[in-house]
Amino acid sequence: MCKELKLKNKDENLYIPEKARIVEIKTFTEKEKFFKLELVSQKSLGHVPGQFVQLSILGIGEAPISISSPPSSDHFFDLCVRAVGNVTNKLHTLKVGDEIFIRGPFGHGFDDQILAKMQGKHLLFIAGGIGYVPLRSLINKVLKSPQKYQKISILYGCKTPKERMYQDELTKIKAMGSNIEFLETVDHADTDWTGNQGVITTLIPKVKFDPAKTIAVIVGPPIMYKFVLISLMEKDIPKKNIYMSLERRMKCGVGKCGHCQMDGVYVCQEGPVFNYEDVYQKEEVL
Amino acid sequence: MSLNSSLKIDKKILLENLEKTIQKYDLIALKKKGENYLYDYIQKSKEIIFKYHPTVLSPKKFFFPKEEVLFEYTADGEVTPKSETKPTILFGIRPCDVNGIHILNEAFAESKGDPNYLAKKENSLVIGLDCEKLCDENAFCYRVKSQNSTKGADLFLHDLGLEFALTIITDKGKKFAQEYLQSSPGSEQALTKYQAAKKKSFSLVAPFRDLDKLPEIFSKNQNHVIWKEKGSKCLSCGSCIMVCPTCYCFDVADEFALNLQKGERLRRWDACMLSSFAEVAGGENFRDKAENRLKHRLNRKFNYLMKKHGQAVCVGCGRCVRACLADINPKLIVKVLTGEQE
């Protein structure tokens, strides 16, 4: 009498995750680890910058995580994960070779249309803390062909020097020179810190840009957006030239579970990457 | 009305035929359990209650149960999708709930489609039953024009006393009627008379003023004082959502068996009125005030999802009004926003 679900293969069932293997782990900070993963199927994840996956550990649960690597044709991808909940804390205990599960990629990221709009422009990346993680996917993509852009400025702010991630990579970016500039700051310096000190908005006046020819991309905690947006508005960057990526606790990733809904918008469908012009009048954005 | 509307079926024959279906189908209908009325599994057709008494939960629980397994897994990482469904008949579903089923059908079929819901839906048949009058003072189906909804049902019945007028809504319903129901041509007149009586009993009540413009009205009134006023009374208990025929938010959780060799990924009803609903891992809560949660829920019903479905996503069943401990009534909130007098 019972009828099994009519599905030819698992791909048709949007809740069934696929296996991924951890191939490399780096410890960035006390709370953040880097994971290089491969899909066991050897398929490419097929994402665009700014998208996310649902990462699951069977028996623990599932959590939405931003993809940190640029799109690639091979089957590897990077995640950088802060241990804050059940799934992420468990993930931090895993080792190279261990298997986890992935669904996705989900969401609307920096698609071809946005990337085309960025060409020839001054790109101003503003990342706060772990906000660098989703932004890295886009930054590493544009750094593959920096000549396509007038200039690339990366502003990175952390609470303390110890919370800075991807330090080796950022050192290299700093040395790339020509049209690439990298500035960083910490809210609270320690005795070894000789760099900038102050919140991230203190870096904005240090960058010279023509507001009409600049595209800003911001990712960070809600409080950071508020102040950064004020600074950018003061500098007359048009709203349509500002992109942001929003954090929500998606449970399904496919516009059904309701958790990520912001005003009428499902962040997992229309976001997490939004143009500021499209969302500035919405109440529940930040 | 449909061309098939002039079918009829004798009440006694209907009950006999329904009982025959139990060999092949799970039969669900309104029945009495203790002092309460509810939609539940029927063993003998005489258990079926034909006079409507409002139920606490809507029939949504049969397609979208409060907890269900999405897939099973083993400790070795073998994942098996799971969605066992049995052929099911939902009998005697009232227009408001029929409309609720229609809305959920659309919501779960959208984009890639929810395999678990769709499997249950596909394996079931919905037989609607008309309401001649309002069931109680809390129901407000007429306000959202769902008192005559048949979309969502496969067959629809009108109680004419000793017999029912039968309307075929879908091909699936037609097939079922041919196989099981032994209906015969009925008089168009009897149904027309029934509908005239119903129209009369609903003539004293009217739909919301500007019903079709509610999305616009809600958008304009995001800062209306009513949200604070009613929201401050809300206990954030989530009862309104548990009883709602069109709420479908869910949570996903994993459970391992005691032997640690296998486990299940479950989905459970969740509620956007609960304080932690929009909280993220770092502790930030994007909807931390009850007034904002109330506003969000009613905007889903009368604005955000209304635009998507082309009709109010509140079906006016009145269950949330009956369940609310703080006397929050969506009907009154909408009336305040539209500026309508009682």
Side-chain angles (χ1 to χ4, degrees):
Chain A
M1 198 63 88
C2 288
K3 189 165 136 190
E4 275 298 313
L5 191 53
K6 275 199 286 178
L7 289 169
K8 283 175 221 100
N9 57 57
K10 287 178 181 179
D11 290 351
E12 286 183 38
N13 186 322
L14 42 85
Y15 300 118
I16 303 297
E18 70 168 297
K19 243 180 218 179
R21 191 179 297 121
I22 301 173
V23 293
E24 188 188 341
I25 300 176
K26 285 186 219 168
T27 300
F28 279 157
T29 73
E30 217 174 288
K31 284 272 175 199
E32 278 117 3
K33 275 188 182 181
F34 166 91
F35 297 87
K36 192 180 186 70
L37 298 159
E38 62 171 342
L39 290 177
V40 170
S41 65
Q42 306 288 299
K43 279 193 297 189
S44 160
L45 185 62
H47 69 286
V48 300
Q51 284 190 300
F52 67 96
V53 290
Q54 288 282 5
L55 182 152
S56 40
I57 298 178
L58 300 182
I60 308 291
E62 200 173 51
I65 308 285
S66 303
I67 303 159
S68 193
S69 48
S72 100
S73 52
D74 62 28
H75 52 281
F76 297 103
F77 60 98
D78 303 342
L79 304 178
C80 175
V81 181
R82 177 179 286 174
V84 281
N86 295 338
V87 176
T88 51
N89 270 301
K90 178 68 186 173
L91 180 70
H92 272 232
T93 67
L94 299 185
K95 296 178 190 69
V96 169
D98 285 344
E99 287 174 345
I100 56 155
F101 285 82
I102 294 287
R103 286 193 301 130
F106 293 119
H108 176 247
F110 296 95
D111 58 19
D112 289 345
Q113 208 186 337
I114 301 175
L115 290 169
K117 187 176 152 187
M118 288 178 167
Q119 285 200 20
K121 299 277 173 27
H122 180 176
L123 303 185
L124 177 59
F125 295 110
I126 303 175
I130 200 166
Y132 185 75
V133 171
L135 210 44
R136 177 181 176 254
S137 175
L138 177 63
I139 288 174
N140 284 7
K141 177 164 172 69
V142 303
L143 287 179
K144 282 181 185 171
S145 41
Q147 71 286 355
K148 282 187 185 167
Y149 310 94
Q150 191 210 343
K151 194 176 169 188
I152 298 169
S153 303
I154 302 167
L155 314 187
Y156 182 32
C158 286
K159 278 187 190 146
T160 65
K162 276 186 186 154
E163 289 178 23
R164 292 151 65 235
M165 296 180 293
Y166 289 108
Q167 289 192 42
D168 297 348
E169 202 172 291
L170 293 175
T171 310
K172 279 181 205 155
I173 292 175
K174 227 184 278 185
M176 281 174 87
S178 70
N179 66 336
I180 298 160
E181 117 185 276
F182 178 85
L183 296 169
E184 65 181 328
T185 183
V186 296
D187 295 355
H188 310 287
D190 56 22
T191 46
D192 299 330
W193 181 255
T194 54
N196 296 308
Q197 190 185 349
V199 292
I200 193 155
T201 44
T202 59
L203 295 180
I204 296 173
K206 297 181 198 284
V207 182
K208 281 197 188 111
F209 55 83
D210 173 352
K213 290 179 184 155
T214 300
I215 291 188
V217 185
I218 320 167
V219 191
I223 183 78
M224 185 194 100
Y225 283 105
K226 286 173 192 162
F227 291 102
V228 169
L229 286 167
I230 291 170
S231 298
L232 296 182
M233 292 293 103
E234 281 170 0
K235 295 274 185 187
D236 297 323
I237 295 194
K239 289 189 186 75
K240 65 175 169 40
N241 284 10
I242 299 174
Y243 289 89
M244 49 209 283
S245 176
L246 303 178
E247 180 188 8
R248 290 294 184 279
R249 178 82 162 99
M250 296 91 172
K251 300 272 176 158
C252 73
V254 290
K256 300 202 192 304
C257 79
H259 282 265
C260 71
Q261 202 180 25
M262 162 188 94
D263 294 8
V265 172
Y266 283 98
V267 175
C268 74
Q269 302 283 285
E270 292 179 45
V273 171
F274 288 97
N275 188 287
Y276 182 46
E277 172 114 314
D278 296 333
V279 294
Y280 79 101
Q281 282 174 317
K282 297 195 186 300
E283 269 191 33
E284 298 180 331
V285 174
L286 299 176
Chain B
M1 270 271 123
S2 148
L3 292 171
N4 300 303
S5 61
S6 53
L7 289 170
K8 66 166 185 179
I9 181 165
D10 181 82
K11 210 172 232 177
K12 208 172 139 230
I13 296 174
L14 175 71
L15 286 175
E16 280 167 18
N17 289 336
L18 279 176
E19 200 155 308
K20 280 182 205 153
T21 66
I22 296 175
Q23 295 165 13
K24 194 180 164 191
Y25 291 89
D26 274 352
L27 177 64
I28 289 156
L30 187 68
K31 74 175 194 189
K32 200 174 180 192
K33 214 175 190 176
E35 290 306 301
N36 298 310
Y37 293 88
L38 77 168
Y39 287 101
D40 200 1
Y41 294 94
I42 299 288
Q43 304 306 329
K44 293 275 170 208
S45 61
K46 64 175 185 213
E47 293 173 77
I48 300 173
I49 307 271
F50 283 90
K51 183 186 181 311
Y52 186 64
H53 297 267
T55 59
V56 175
L57 295 182
S58 80
K60 122 183 141 179
K61 63 185 178 180
F62 298 104
F63 299 132
F64 176 51
K66 68 178 197 296
E67 180 173 292
E68 72 185 304
V69 179
L70 295 175
F71 60 81
E72 294 175 333
Y73 47 81
T74 63
D76 309 331
E78 196 182 312
V79 171
T80 317
K82 200 183 168 203
S83 173
E84 279 177 5
T85 69
K86 280 186 81 180
T88 303
I89 297 169
L90 272 75
F91 176 80
I93 308 303
R94 302 295 168 150
C96 58
D97 286 335
V98 163
N99 193 16
I101 290 170
H102 167 63
I103 287 163
L104 290 192
N105 287 347
E106 287 189 346
F108 280 108
E110 202 192 17
S111 68
K112 272 187 164 177
D114 184 279
N116 294 62
Y117 179 93
L118 296 177
K120 287 190 189 67
K121 186 68 201 40
E122 199 188 308
N123 212 5
S124 63
L125 186 97
V126 177
I127 304 177
L129 176 59
D130 208 357
C131 294
E132 216 175 346
K133 54 182 190 340
L134 269 179
C135 57
D136 72 1
E137 70 284 4
N138 295 315
F140 55 97
C141 48
Y142 59 95
R143 286 269 175 199
V144 289
K145 291 188 184 167
S146 77
Q147 77 271 29
N148 294 317
S149 298
T150 56
K151 220 184 206 176
D154 297 295
L155 294 168
F156 205 82
L157 296 168
H158 310 267
D159 195 339
L160 306 178
L162 292 173
E163 60 183 32
F164 290 101
L166 173 70
T167 308
I168 310 268
I169 311 290
T170 64
D171 285 346
K172 193 169 157 186
K174 191 174 180 178
K175 235 185 233 170
F176 178 85
Q178 281 164 353
E179 200 179 336
Y180 285 100
L181 290 188
Q182 289 180 291
S183 56
S184 55
S187 86
E188 192 79 53
Q189 228 180 341
L191 181 62
T192 313
K193 201 176 147 196
Y194 172 93
Q195 282 165 336
K198 174 167 178 172
K199 204 171 172 186
K200 200 177 165 196
S201 88
F202 278 87
S203 65
L204 295 174
V205 292
F208 284 127
R209 194 169 86 188
D210 299 324
L211 175 63
D212 298 336
K213 289 187 196 139
L214 287 182
E216 215 175 295
I217 293 168
F218 268 69
S219 288
K220 271 188 208 152
N221 284 292
Q222 297 289 350
N223 295 317
H224 197 285
V225 66
I226 191 79
W227 300 121
K228 204 177 194 91
E229 191 187 313
K230 296 294 176 191
S232 66
K233 291 182 183 159
C234 174
L235 302 168
S236 301
C237 68
S239 298
C240 49
I241 287 163
M242 300 297 116
V243 302
C244 179
T246 68
C247 273
Y248 59 90
C249 287
F250 57 84
D251 187 24
V252 178
D254 275 30
E255 267 180 18
F256 241 110
L258 204 56
N259 65 12
L260 301 181
Q261 292 307 303
K262 58 178 186 179
E264 296 171 328
R265 175 152 301 161
L266 304 161
R267 83 152 145 220
R268 297 182 175 126
W269 289 355
D270 204 344
C272 64
M273 298 291 278
L274 299 178
S275 60
S276 62
F277 186 80
E279 200 173 274
V280 297
E284 188 81 32
N285 191 337
F286 292 94
R287 211 175 291 121
D288 58 355
K289 283 190 192 148
E291 63 185 78
N292 291 337
R293 293 191 289 271
L294 176 65
K295 180 166 75 178
H296 177 73
R297 176 163 188 268
L298 293 191
N299 266 283
R300 272 176 72 94
K301 303 297 177 198
F302 298 106
N303 183 4
Y304 311 148
L305 299 186
M306 181 166 172
K307 282 188 255 183
K308 217 187 238 182
H309 293 275
Q311 65 167 69
V313 168
C314 166
V315 297
C317 66
R319 288 190 178 89
C320 58
V321 182
R322 294 176 206 113
C324 186
L325 299 167
D327 283 334
I328 297 171
N329 187 336
K331 182 177 82 177
L332 298 179
I333 294 176
V334 175
K335 281 170 69 178
V336 168
L337 296 185
T338 56
E340 203 176 335
Q341 300 301 313
E342 186 64 65

